[in-house]
Structure formats: structure tokens, C-alpha cells
Amino acid sequence: HGMSGTPEYEAWKHIKSRCYNKRNKDYRLYGGRGIRVCQAWFDSFLAFYTDMGPRPGSKFSVERRDSNSDYGPTNCYWGTPEQQANNTSRNRIVETPEGSLTMAQASKLYSIPYSTLRSRLRQGLSAESALTSVVRPCASGTLYELDGVEKTLTEWSAAKGIKLTTLLY
């Protein structure tokens, strides 16, 4: 096929290795979980290339629509790093009026800091409350006194070894 060494060929080799080579560092996340490569792609790089086409750009990689399903033409596309990050089994999914979103997607859509959303969910708030409660601005220049000493919350955090988020609460 004359495409050895191309990004597409390397992608094809890597998906096969993740699924079938037990010595691959990521095998446990792919082949170890039962993820396979469809027979046509397993047997032929040209079948893979015909279905996937050329990689659209240097930042794109093979992405599966359903991260629990196999590699094949109906489940794969060239995805961006953001798409890859939003489609990993490590993501926490939250239910929103817009549907199921990763915490990163919900944070972006609702304009709430990711750390605030994560903290609220850890405290047991519902996804709706966590996403729609007003985010208090951090009074970064306000001084707080303790034993006659005034410091900002950031300074107290560093001085006492207490997380800033803990002090804010």
C-alpha cells in the first residue's frame, strides 16, 4: 500500500497493539477490557484507510463513539484532543437539562469553574443545584485577621497549610 510510516498507518498499528499485545502499556484499558478491532480492519490496513480516510490534521487521532465498543467503521472517526478527553471511561457524567455531559462539558456550558462543580458534587449537591447555584466571587484582596495578623485568604492558605477552597467554605 506504500503508506508505512504515515500517521494513518501508525494509528492502525497502535489500535491493534492496544487490543492484542499484552505487553502494550495500555492493553489493560483496551484488550484487557475486551475491546477488539473489527475483522476487516484487523486483516487489512487498506480497509481501515478506506473507512477512515486521511487524518484531517496532526492533532487528530482515532476516536471511538462508544468507548466500551470495538474499533470499526461505525464506531470510529478522527477526533480532536477535546473529543478524546470527553469520551474516556474516567469521566464523570452529569445529567443536565441539555442531556448527559461530562463534568468538563457541563462546566464550560454553564460557565462554572470545573473545581467548583467538582467540589459541589462531592458535597452531595444535585447536578442541577451544583450547576445553577451562584458562584461567589473570591475576594482576593480582602484581608482577614487572625491573632492580630492580617492576610488574604491565599496568604493564610499558604501560611497554615490549608487548602484555599477549604478556607473559602
Side-chain angles (χ1 to χ4, degrees):
H1 54 70
M3 294 186 70
S4 295
T6 64
E8 296 84 358
Y9 187 76
E10 293 302 311
W12 175 72
K13 281 189 349 187
H14 285 107
I15 65 173
K16 287 178 58 175
S17 179
R18 286 192 298 263
C19 293
Y20 298 101
N21 181 355
K22 291 181 180 179
R23 292 183 304 206
N24 183 299
K25 68 179 180 62
D26 294 323
Y27 174 81
R28 66 181 177 79
L29 301 171
Y30 295 88
R33 289 195 313 123
I35 306 299
R36 301 288 178 248
V37 178
C38 75
Q39 196 63 50
W41 286 10
F42 182 85
D43 292 339
S44 166
F45 166 72
L46 286 178
F48 167 81
Y49 187 76
T50 298
D51 290 333
M52 292 293 291
R55 187 170 74 158
S58 63
K59 295 188 186 242
F60 287 77
S61 59
V62 176
E63 171 66 1
R64 290 172 294 139
R65 287 177 178 83
D66 178 353
S67 63
N68 293 312
S69 292
D70 295 341
Y71 286 95
T74 59
N75 194 40
C76 294
Y77 62 97
W78 292 111
T80 65
E82 184 177 358
Q83 289 169 315
Q84 288 271 3
N86 284 322
N87 191 25
T88 172
S89 58
R90 295 183 311 272
N91 278 329
R92 176 160 178 199
I93 304 298
V94 292
E95 296 302 324
T96 73
E98 287 74 23
S100 299
L101 300 173
T102 66
M103 282 181 38
Q105 290 169 325
S107 166
K108 188 174 182 179
L109 181 65
Y110 283 83
S111 300
I112 179 173
Y114 181 89
S115 59
T116 301
L117 176 58
R118 182 183 60 223
S119 178
R120 288 176 175 180
L121 292 171
R122 284 182 178 165
Q123 291 173 19
L125 267 65
S126 69
E128 182 179 352
S129 294
L131 290 165
T132 58
S133 298
V134 175
V135 177
R136 293 182 312 224
C138 180
S140 59
T142 304
L143 296 174
Y144 295 86
E145 183 181 337
L146 177 66
D147 297 331
V149 178
E150 289 186 337
K151 295 183 180 195
T152 66
L153 288 180
T154 302
E155 291 168 333
W156 280 119
S157 171
K160 297 295 183 180
I162 301 170
K163 289 183 177 181
L164 180 59
T165 53
T166 302
L167 290 177
L168 287 169
Y169 284 101

